[in-house]
């Protein structure tokens, strides 16, 4: 079951939202971002039915250790990896 999904950052509720259509019904799942993880840069994006999305980097920073975390989104397969910068 491959479904296109839109991933967005809600600045007010400090959550990342995943939204998709299931049949004729709109579905959403929200994930809370920990208060100690600051969102420095987040570009909303769409993951297509085939897993493809344009490559991008989301940037977060820890208020505990002050390290920057780069979440690099891959072109296909819906994959990503996390890189740490001092």
């Amino acid at each position: 079951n491959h479904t296109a999904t839109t991933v967005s950052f809600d600045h007010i509720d400090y959550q990342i939202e995943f939204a998709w259509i299931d049949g004729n019904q709109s579905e959403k799942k929200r994930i809370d971002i920990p208060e100690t993880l600051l969102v420095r840069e987040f570009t909303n994006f769409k993951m297509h039915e085939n897993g493809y999305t344009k490559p991008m980097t989301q940037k977060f920073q820890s208020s505990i250790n002050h390290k920057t975390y780069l979440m690099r989104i891959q072109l296909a397969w819906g994959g990503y990896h996390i890189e740490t910068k001092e």
Side-chain angles (χ1 to χ4, degrees), residues 46-80:
K46 180 177 182 178
M47 189 175 305
H48 298 276
E49 295 88 350
N50 62 1
Y52 177 84
T53 190
K54 62 183 176 181
M56 69 190 69
T57 301
Q58 314 290 21
K59 188 185 292 186
F60 304 89
Q61 185 175 26
S62 170
S63 63
I64 296 172
N65 63 15
H66 307 289
K67 290 183 180 180
T68 297
Y69 296 93
L70 303 176
M71 183 172 109
R72 299 203 186 271
I73 311 289
Q74 305 298 309
L75 283 169
W77 309 104
Y80 66 92

Side-chain angles (χ1 to χ4, degrees), residues 6-68:
T6 301
V7 183
S8 58
F9 172 55
D10 182 333
H11 297 269
I12 296 169
D13 292 329
Y14 217 63
Q15 296 175 324
I16 294 178
E17 179 182 275
F18 299 83
W20 65 95
I21 303 294
D22 188 5
N24 293 327
Q25 190 169 346
S26 179
E27 300 284 340
K28 291 182 181 179
K29 174 73 177 172
R30 290 176 161 250
I31 298 174
D32 292 328
I33 299 172
E35 291 180 15
T36 57
L37 193 60
L38 308 173
V39 178
R40 294 294 185 205
E41 187 177 312
F42 194 98
T43 303
N44 296 344
F45 65 97
K46 180 177 182 178
M47 189 175 305
H48 298 276
E49 295 88 350
N50 62 1
Y52 177 84
T53 190
K54 62 183 176 181
M56 69 190 69
T57 301
Q58 314 290 21
K59 188 185 292 186
F60 304 89
Q61 185 175 26
S62 170
S63 63
I64 296 172
N65 63 15
H66 307 289
K67 290 183 180 180
T68 297

